[in-house]
Amino acid sequence: MRQPLLQLPTIKTMKYHSTNHQVPPATLKEAVLQGMAGDNGLYMPERIPRMSSQFLAALPYKTLPEIVERLATVLFGKDIPAAPLRDIVHEALNFEIPLVKVAKNRYCLELFHGPTMAFKDVGARFLARMMQYFTRNETVATNVLVATSGDTGGAVANGFLGVPGITVTVLYPKGRISRIQESQFTTLGQNICALEVNGTFDDCQRLVKQAFSDKELNARRKLTSANSINPARFIPQAFYYFWGYAQMPQGRDLVVAVPSGNFGNLTAGLLAKRMGLPVKRFIAANNANDVFGEYLRTAEFSPRPSIPTIANAMDVGNPSNFARIMDLYRGSHTRITANISGYAYTDAQIREEMKRTFDKTKYLLDPHGACASQALREYFETDFMANGFFLETAHPAKFKETVEAVLGRSIPIPGKLQAFMNGIKQTIGISNRYEDFKAFLW
Ligand SMILES: *Cc1c(COP(=O)(O)O)cnc(C)c1O
């Protein structure tokens, strides 16, 4: 056989750096299995690839899986071969993400058609399958530990449901989460185990942290987290911004409003823009927790304890992905305010927006999407030539009591949510003492 004349260039994998820059860059596998960098920073791709103008021009003619396969290949294709990557994409996105027209210029990208009817399904399903790929040659099962105060448990548990080689243990505080939230991870069985902790959410978090730092336990069991800042949850969220753009009427400037808490979703949008997606401006929509809006106005970032609101998945006083935004813009307040606007609303304003939108258009908003819907309307008062979509991050029935009280009418629970409620609750009760949790994991 003839020797090739030229040595083929070795394919360099994409590296991920920590936003704190105190540890060496990691491979995708390392970043996904660690979740957070050793210096407590968040992982970011070292190079952000730019999509070609042909790809961008062809977006309106492509399907969601076609778009996502291409984007996933560009980002992950050097670390995961084509065939398994295609499977990951198709299994993760086994639901629709429709764009719905709500009013003139104002569209809604419905991200809530996944198993738990919240947008976190997208990131959790990608994470589960990427983790499965990276642990495929392990001989012992990987145990994902997750403490939840509500929705995360359901999204992670359903994301990992039936994924071979991985078990999930969800810890939740007894009597402190809603029945519908509880049912989303306590009725699943298979590789999902729910621990009802006689204590608070902080107790649950403490138990998980202690387990990760327990050398004796880690020598015996392979433990990992499904943290919300894991790059395999964060990066795939960039994909649906391209799909939103693809479904919009073309020809006008595009503005996108994002209901924000930890800002993972919005930062993924900024990543899409950096990859070439033509978005004129992003709008950070917040509830009374307006730390980011304050940063936009004053260039000062002052994290503080969160305030409870009716859009409670956004009750965050110290958004973790702020570090990623700083990283993307090299800390330049000028460049950040050139790309992002901020609007914040009180509970009364959120209720008003839900009611106004339903009365005028019959579109049912949940309290989180209502912040973004209102922000987009307010933005259009200054820029009426633009088109825009806002993200709807949860199905309104997930916040049934709030929505019904605002609209003064009952709303049906979709079959998918009802099915969880009809399932048989299977949980194991434990105390809040670490010895009990350790004995369970042993
Ligand atoms: C988690 C969540 C958000 C906030 O998303 P971030 O990425 O943390 O900004 C918004 N709405 C709903 C319904 C959520 O569950």
Side-chain angles (χ1 to χ4, degrees), residues 78-386:
K78 293 188 172 140
D79 300 274
I80 305 177
L85 189 55
R86 196 175 310 119
D87 291 345
I88 289 170
V89 166
H90 286 263
E91 286 172 26
L93 287 175
N94 65 346
F95 51 89
E96 310 264 280
I97 304 181
L99 183 87
V100 177
K101 182 168 183 168
V102 174
K104 181 170 159 283
N105 297 7
R106 188 156 44 102
Y107 294 73
C108 173
L109 188 65
E110 294 186 345
L111 295 169
F112 56 71
H113 295 275
T116 72
M117 310 205 88
F119 90 99
K120 289 188 178 69
D121 285 331
V122 177
R125 293 180 70 78
F126 268 97
L127 169 62
R129 281 150 190 86
M130 285 169 70
M131 211 177 247
Q132 178 200 5
Y133 175 76
F134 286 127
T135 57
R136 69 197 180 286
N137 296 326
E138 304 277 345
T139 47
V140 290
T142 300
N143 195 342
V144 172
L145 304 183
V146 53
T148 186
S149 60
D151 274 338
T152 307
V156 170
N158 282 275
F160 281 91
L161 183 65
V163 171
I166 301 185
T167 60
V168 176
T169 305
V170 184
L171 289 81
Y172 71 104
K174 181 176 177 167
R176 293 183 199 232
I177 71 172
S178 76
R179 211 164 75 73
I180 187 148
Q181 287 173 327
E182 184 181 39
S183 70
Q184 290 186 328
F185 58 83
T186 57
T187 58
L188 300 172
Q190 297 186 52
N191 57 332
I192 312 300
C193 180
L195 292 184
E196 187 171 33
V197 176
N198 201 347
T200 61
F201 170 60
D202 290 335
D203 288 328
C204 298
Q205 266 191 318
R206 172 179 52 79
L207 294 175
V208 167
K209 273 200 184 140
Q210 211 167 334
F212 285 132
S213 59
D214 183 332
K215 292 211 166 64
E216 193 188 27
L217 181 65
N218 283 273
R220 214 181 132 88
R221 297 273 173 240
K222 210 170 151 34
L223 306 179
T224 189
S225 79
N227 216 305
S228 70
I229 54 165
N230 192 302
R233 277 181 69 171
F234 162 66
I235 294 173
Q237 293 176 354
F239 300 163
Y240 47 68
Y241 287 89
F242 287 85
W243 174 233
Y245 170 87
Q247 296 176 89
M248 283 293 284
Q250 307 291 314
R252 287 186 182 216
D253 286 342
L254 176 65
V255 177
V256 180
V258 187
S260 296
N262 264 320
F263 278 77
N265 209 355
L266 185 125
T267 309
L270 300 173
L271 179 65
K273 180 173 166 69
R274 194 61 66 84
M275 291 176 77
L277 188 70
V279 176
K280 179 183 181 188
R281 182 165 278 276
F282 283 92
I283 300 174
N286 282 102
N287 57 25
N289 296 280
D290 188 29
V291 172
F292 185 76
E294 190 180 273
Y295 164 76
L296 293 176
R297 291 188 296 275
T298 65
E300 297 286 337
F301 182 63
S302 329
R304 63 189 67 137
S306 65
I307 307 162
T309 75
I310 58 168
N312 57 27
M314 290 156 47
D315 294 349
V316 179
N318 186 8
S320 46
N321 285 284
F322 186 73
R324 280 192 168 118
I325 298 178
M326 285 286 129
D327 190 82
L328 262 180
Y329 289 92
R330 306 248 184 277
S332 164
H333 180 259
T334 311
R335 290 176 59 211
I336 290 172
T337 51
N339 281 186
I340 316 171
S341 302
Y343 295 87
Y345 300 103
T346 63
D347 280 0
Q349 289 173 310
I350 295 171
R351 289 196 178 93
E352 178 60 31
E353 174 69 10
M354 289 161 67
K355 190 155 166 42
R356 181 195 299 113
T357 302
F358 186 75
D359 289 347
K360 282 203 162 162
T361 71
K362 294 284 167 273
Y363 192 80
L364 212 51
L365 292 165
D366 99 298
H368 305 81
C371 293
S373 166
Q374 186 157 4
L376 195 54
R377 268 193 320 108
E378 204 173 327
Y379 172 81
F380 283 151
E381 288 167 13
T382 63
D383 181 358
F384 42 81
M385 291 308 285

Side-chain angles (χ1 to χ4, degrees), residues 25-36:
T27 62
L28 180 62
K29 176 177 175 176
E30 289 162 348
V32 169
L33 296 183
Q34 283 172 32
M36 180 186 259

